[in-house]
Amino acid sequence: MKFFAVALATLLAAAPVAAQETLLRARLNSDIRSTDPGTNRDANTDAVVLHIVEGLVAYRENTSVGPLLAERIDIAPDGLSYTFTLRNGVRFHNGAMLTSADVKFAWDRYLRRETNWRCLPEFDGRGATKVTGIETPDPRTVVFRLERPSALFLANMARADCGGSGIWHRDSLNADGSWNTPIGTGPFRMGEWRRNQFVEVTRFPDYSARPGEVDGYTGNKTAYVDRVRWLVIPDASAAKAALLSGAIDINPDIANQDLEELRARPDIRLSATTTMGMMALLMQTRDPLLQDVRIRRAIALTLDYPELVRALSDGQSTYNPSVIPTASGAHGAVQQQGFSRNIEEARRLLRAAGYRGQTIRMLTTRRYNSLLEMATLTQAMAQEAGLNIEFEVLDWATQLDRYTRGDYQMMAFTYSARLDPSLSFEMVSGPKATQPRKAWDNAEALALLQESMQVTDPARRQALFDELHRRFIAEVPMIVLYNDANIAAHRTSMTGFRSWATGQPRFWGVRLQ
Amino acid sequence: MIGYAARRSLAAIPTLLLVAIAVFLLMRLIPGDPAQLMLGDAASAEEVQALRRSMGLEAPLPLQFLHWAGAALGGNLGRSITNGEPVLPLILSRFSVTAAIVLLAVALATLVAVPLGMLAAWKQNRATDLAVVAFATLMLSIPSFWLGLILLLVFGVKLGWLPVVGFVTFAEDPWAAAAYIVLPVATLVLIELGGMTRMARAATIDVLRLDYISHARAKGLSEFTVMRRHALPNAFAPTLTLIGLVLGNLLGGIAVIETVFTLPGLGRLLVEAIFQRDYPVVQGVMLFVAGIYVVVNLLVDLAYPIFDPRVTAE
């Protein structure tokens, strides 16, 4: 009997133990819209899709652009052609090798109007430049020909909201050319998508990783977990309960007010970073009252910036008066020059402008807590100088509609991340006659901005950004407050996760114990 | 009875038409543009207009309505403009989740509330009655999201007995499905218990004052028989009306409960569609909800004669 027991124990010990499959569960605050890169999308869609598809280039951790599917990028001296040499040995999720023909196939679809690719205007001549031709001289080389040089060509190509201009295999399409499912080259392949419940991706074992470390959306993207399941959990409190109970491993974007509680827990780790999203107070420069720059400046001088930003971000961000995010390489000493509180000067300016207590209406929303708080605190601080600001709370769709039409006096608003400084200025600048959503309408500034989009010399570009910032502060078309912080909370069983400037989670390089 | 049901169904057509027109117009009157929401803050007016055109939102409103209503008559409620899914299957799949929870919760709440209300009425103004009334009032006063979160924290996080997030259908795994719906059902039962108990109590008190109850007691019937055979049928009729209203209300979506417990139900679908200005989904869900009210009210009316012989379906 004893012999059998020993033999059984030995047998069990020697038997190969199947490695336990690892499943990482993350929170999504709303379902993804589609799996078609850069078309029917939102930030959640981008986050999932960019685990599946990869583009020729991608943003690095420091928000510069680096190669991803490309091994090398050669730019012609006149800036009118970009030659991409593809990496060797890259496979699609269906086993096919990546070739230049696949790149051209995907790009031809992106450039068709009926695809509704979000970034088409940047490549069809309406925006930064026009792609006049895509050539494939050999299976590893792709040449993009441009109508005019553009400093933003690669930056636009890498944008997350453009789906990273991801290259997918032609079998991603149905027979009629419509989108079916993404067959990309990324570290994960598409798994099950149960609408409004979860979307799952599975590790791609034949993934061809770049050497080195995790670096933004490029770098080493080796997946270590077998599956990632994003669970749709709209309610923040339910998401917190799920994290604490272990029903999810990570909540990539927690509310600031939960910070202290989660920080105190031994089973939870936090990963915080300042993103490139921008929180700002817009002022309609066409409004009869606010067209007077003295009133706009007076409003700017009433705010106690360090205190305001500390309160709004729960101490996670610092005052940034520039549209260029603090995490950007183009953000320097000039961009730190902004406003500081001076109630006496504000009163003087208001008197000089003939302000007699007229009501200024500010729009805000409950969709983002910080926007509602921004309106409340601004109202209170401005009151000290005699400014009469009243605010109106709208739902997000209504506020976005009013923003688009320029139909406001003041507005507490949040802009999504732009990773290139030219794009940061472009999102707020433009002729109001044709683009009423733009906050800053100044012909000279627009000329400088156009130049920044064409020149490729970094020093010249920086000089242009510095000049744009000085003019922006002098004209006060809006008051930039800070770049929002992204705080991810994950269980200690999860290692290798790091949040970064885009605020989007990355689950390659992540391990589960 | 069949003729009555048919007449009531026909009478519902103008109601449904009015609902369709009102929802269509109201959605277009409120500010907010689905194309703008999809494209975000970076989109130009030209891009927004192009997307609106591709969504069919640039056509004149009467034409849009006729197009939608014509298709709806044929059972086609269109496709979601945010994710392209056909609306009717979407509604039916979400409704199945909501209906499973609501029907179970209302049945359980009824089974508890009616005896509890009758007990309180029978023991009127005594300690039992006071305790039941206090409990019912407490349940009426507690917001559903708060109660749901508390149950979630206690049974999901602290005790770890029940899953905190997720949903599995009964077809996939009956045991797991049951585990996922325990907390939402319990929350709904507790919330609805208050109103139903009070209604059952009030109705029973009225009935217990009537002469035929005294007559039954005088005959020497036991109190249990008096309550079950004589008081219950008459006291249940007003509660049945309330149950009908509650059912109609809840089957139209339990958005708060669905959000707290991450259930893919009809209420969450509607709320998200409103925020996204997903016109076809909002119109489809509202029409469906109106239909639910019509059907539930009809069923309640048809059930009345069973409990109260004075009422006839005709």
Side-chain angles (χ1 to χ4, degrees):
Chain A
M1 188 68 189
K2 195 174 177 183
F3 168 78
F4 282 115
V6 171
L8 184 64
T10 311
L11 197 67
L12 285 173
V17 178
Q20 199 177 3
E21 191 188 56
T22 45
L23 169 66
L24 189 154
R25 296 147 308 164
R27 179 211 180 188
L28 269 187
N29 57 11
S30 64
D31 200 3
I32 62 171
R33 287 171 173 268
S34 77
T35 57
D36 191 355
T39 55
N40 185 5
R41 59 153 296 279
D42 57 10
N44 287 345
T45 310
D46 299 339
V48 173
V49 166
L50 288 175
H51 282 73
I52 303 166
V53 299
E54 299 178 315
L56 295 171
V57 293
Y59 279 102
R60 297 191 183 101
E61 206 84 11
N62 65 3
T63 70
S64 65
V65 178
L68 180 52
L69 286 179
E71 183 178 275
R72 208 178 66 235
I73 305 157
D74 297 304
I75 306 171
D78 60 4
L80 291 177
S81 75
Y82 285 67
T83 303
F84 298 88
T85 307
L86 302 179
R87 280 161 52 211
N88 251 334
V90 176
R91 284 185 187 276
F92 285 105
H93 298 153
N94 60 1
M97 297 297 292
L98 169 75
T99 67
S100 56
D102 298 309
V103 177
K104 180 169 165 48
F105 186 86
W107 265 91
D108 283 346
R109 179 174 180 270
Y110 281 131
L111 294 176
R112 278 198 292 273
R113 193 170 272 262
E114 58 269 25
T115 303
N116 278 326
W117 187 37
R118 172 184 176 79
C119 298
L120 180 62
E122 304 303 334
F123 298 95
D124 72 352
R126 284 177 287 167
T129 188
K130 179 177 184 179
V131 174
T132 54
I134 300 173
E135 295 156 16
T136 54
D138 64 62
R140 281 191 62 207
T141 309
V142 191
V143 183
F144 282 73
R145 304 249 176 238
L146 307 185
E147 189 180 71
R148 55 180 184 274
S150 166
L152 299 178
F153 180 64
L154 294 179
N156 279 326
M157 202 180 241
R159 277 166 51 183
D161 61 327
C162 303
S165 311
I167 307 302
W168 33 264
H169 192 267
R170 61 196 65 205
D171 289 352
S172 304
L173 304 182
N174 293 309
D176 63 358
S178 60
W179 185 258
N180 180 18
T181 191
I183 301 171
T185 60
F188 293 93
R189 52 186 166 195
M190 186 67 195
E192 187 182 0
W193 176 18
R194 204 173 288 182
R195 295 192 188 231
N196 238 59
Q197 290 186 59
F198 65 82
V199 57
E200 195 170 283
V201 294
T202 56
R203 190 170 69 86
F204 177 40
D206 295 331
Y207 178 66
S208 169
R210 296 183 70 86
E213 299 294 313
V214 172
D215 188 7
Y217 274 132
T218 179
N220 189 331
K221 295 168 68 176
T222 304
Y224 298 111
V225 290
D226 296 308
R227 289 187 293 149
V228 176
R229 179 180 285 189
W230 279 272
L231 289 151
V232 181
I233 310 174
D235 185 67
S237 304
K240 186 168 133 189
L243 181 70
L244 297 181
S245 69
I248 56 172
D249 301 294
I250 179 167
N251 182 352
D253 190 12
I254 63 160
N256 285 351
Q257 57 264 32
D258 292 333
L259 191 61
E260 286 312 312
E261 183 189 344
L262 293 174
R263 187 177 278 153
R265 289 188 63 108
D267 53 345
I268 301 291
R269 291 264 185 287
L270 299 175
S271 176
T273 190
T274 303
T275 71
M276 302 187 97
M278 184 175 85
M279 313 297 283
L281 287 164
L282 311 189
M283 290 182 281
Q284 182 49 269
T285 55
R286 287 186 156 189
D287 178 74
L289 192 64
L290 294 176
Q291 67 183 353
D292 190 329
V293 69
R294 291 170 296 187
I295 295 183
R296 301 202 300 270
R297 177 163 287 276
I299 294 171
L301 290 174
T302 61
L303 303 180
D304 180 347
Y305 292 93
E307 183 55 31
L308 183 63
V309 173
R310 192 197 57 73
L312 294 177
S313 69
D314 281 84
Q316 295 302 305
S317 300
T318 53
Y319 173 45
N320 173 22
S322 169
V323 295
I324 299 178
T326 46
S328 167
H331 189 278
V334 173
Q335 281 67 34
Q336 271 306 332
Q337 293 164 14
F339 305 100
S340 51
R341 194 171 209 214
N342 187 339
I343 295 291
E344 281 312 306
E345 177 63 5
R347 285 191 182 129
R348 191 192 67 74
L349 285 169
L350 289 174
R351 274 197 303 275
Y355 178 72
R356 296 182 307 280
Q358 297 97 312
T359 302
I360 298 170
R361 296 200 177 278
M362 181 174 359
L363 304 184
T364 187
T365 180
R366 276 184 206 280
R367 164 80 172 261
Y368 303 104
N369 262 346
S370 47
L371 290 187
L372 188 63
E373 289 169 13
M374 190 190 296
T376 314
L377 292 170
T378 301
Q379 182 193 45
M381 289 179 179
Q383 208 168 28
E384 281 191 51
L387 279 158
N388 177 19
I389 296 177
E390 286 182 2
F391 61 84
E392 193 179 336
V393 184
L394 307 172
D395 82 315
W396 177 242
T398 307
Q399 182 166 352
L400 198 56
D401 183 61
R402 300 279 291 268
Y403 160 80
T404 308
R405 290 189 284 114
D407 181 14
Y408 59 86
Q409 274 190 300
M410 284 186 76
M411 180 182 282
F413 198 68
T414 174
Y415 285 93
S416 52
R418 306 291 192 280
L419 302 196
D420 185 277
S422 293
L423 296 175
S424 297
F425 275 107
E426 193 275 337
M427 77 182 169
V428 301
S429 319
K432 284 180 186 259
T434 54
Q435 301 177 51
R437 75 184 191 282
K438 297 296 175 74
W440 191 22
D441 185 355
N442 178 306
E444 288 176 17
L446 283 175
L448 292 174
L449 177 58
Q450 277 304 315
E451 190 185 342
S452 79
M453 291 180 174
Q454 284 163 2
V455 296
T456 49
D457 174 37
R460 176 63 191 149
R461 288 192 88 201
Q462 187 63 54
L464 289 166
F465 297 141
D466 292 351
E467 179 57 22
L468 280 166
H469 177 71
R470 288 190 195 96
R471 288 172 185 243
F472 182 80
I473 292 297
E475 283 189 38
V476 210
M478 60 193 283
I479 302 167
V480 180
L481 295 173
Y482 65 100
N483 299 109
D484 206 7
N486 168 246
I487 310 166
H490 60 86
R491 300 192 64 82
T492 45
S493 53
M494 181 178 160
T495 56
F497 179 83
R498 198 172 67 219
S499 55
W500 68 304
T502 63
Q504 294 282 44
R506 300 159 298 178
F507 296 131
W508 50 84
V510 169
R511 287 183 164 87
L512 272 182
Q513 288 164 7
Chain B
M1 187 177 275
I2 293 169
Y4 173 74
R7 279 199 304 279
R8 283 286 302 269
S9 301
L10 284 175
I13 291 173
T15 309
L16 294 176
L17 184 66
L18 280 174
V19 168
I21 294 171
V23 172
F24 183 89
L25 286 177
L26 283 173
M27 278 307 290
R28 263 65 176 186
L29 283 175
I30 56 171
D33 183 341
Q36 180 68 59
L37 280 167
M38 281 175 75
L39 294 173
D41 61 59
S44 67
E46 189 193 13
E47 291 167 73
V48 173
Q49 198 179 16
L51 185 57
R52 282 182 61 83
R53 204 175 301 119
S54 73
M55 290 171 164
L57 299 174
E58 288 289 284
L61 281 186
L63 205 64
Q64 283 185 46
F65 178 75
L66 287 176
H67 180 75
W68 174 76
L73 278 177
N76 176 10
L77 293 174
R79 284 178 175 272
S80 158
I81 54 180
T82 54
N83 60 27
E85 276 190 272
V87 172
L88 189 58
L90 186 65
I91 289 174
L92 292 176
S93 88
R94 299 300 191 86
F95 179 67
S96 66
V97 176
T98 304
I101 290 163
V102 167
L103 292 176
L104 191 58
V106 171
L108 288 173
T110 308
L111 284 176
V112 177
V114 173
L116 206 59
M118 290 182 74
L119 176 71
W122 187 50
K123 301 278 186 185
Q124 196 188 0
N125 297 330
R126 285 149 74 178
T128 310
D129 181 32
L130 287 176
V132 169
V133 169
F135 170 73
T137 309
L138 182 70
M139 288 300 114
L140 272 173
S141 318
I142 295 177
S144 58
F145 74 90
W146 185 86
L147 184 63
L149 280 173
I150 292 297
L151 292 179
L152 199 69
L153 287 172
V154 173
F155 295 100
V157 180
K158 293 284 179 203
L159 300 173
W161 292 352
L162 292 163
V164 174
V165 289
F167 179 75
V168 176
T169 61
F170 277 94
E172 283 175 281
D173 183 344
W175 287 111
Y180 279 110
I181 66 167
V182 166
L183 288 179
V185 167
T187 308
L188 263 188
V189 167
L190 288 170
I191 292 297
E192 298 305 332
L193 210 54
M196 285 189 193
T197 305
R198 291 197 65 131
M199 176 59 87
R201 175 182 175 275
T204 310
I205 287 172
D206 285 345
V207 169
L208 290 179
R209 288 185 187 135
L210 297 179
D211 290 343
Y212 81 95
I213 294 289
S214 307
H215 180 74
R217 281 177 173 147
K219 281 197 301 182
L221 294 176
S222 69
E223 278 300 298
F224 179 77
T225 308
V226 169
M227 293 300 284
R228 187 180 64 81
R229 195 186 293 168
H230 297 282
L232 175 63
N234 280 319
F236 187 63
T239 312
L240 183 66
T241 308
L242 180 69
I243 290 169
L245 291 171
V246 166
L247 260 182
N249 189 25
L250 298 181
L251 286 173
I254 39 174
V256 174
I257 300 283
E258 288 165 4
T259 303
V260 169
F261 294 104
T262 61
L263 298 167
L266 195 64
R268 225 175 96 193
L269 176 71
L270 178 61
V271 170
E272 282 165 8
I274 290 171
F275 282 138
Q276 298 291 341
R277 303 293 192 266
D278 194 336
Y279 299 147
V281 174
V282 176
Q283 288 160 201
V285 173
M286 291 306 292
L287 199 60
F288 187 78
V289 169
I292 288 173
Y293 268 99
V294 169
V295 171
V296 168
N297 275 316
L298 179 61
L299 290 178
V300 168
D301 286 352
L302 293 176
Y304 247 102
I306 299 169
F307 297 97
D308 190 346
R310 292 169 299 180
V311 180
T312 62
E314 298 303 315

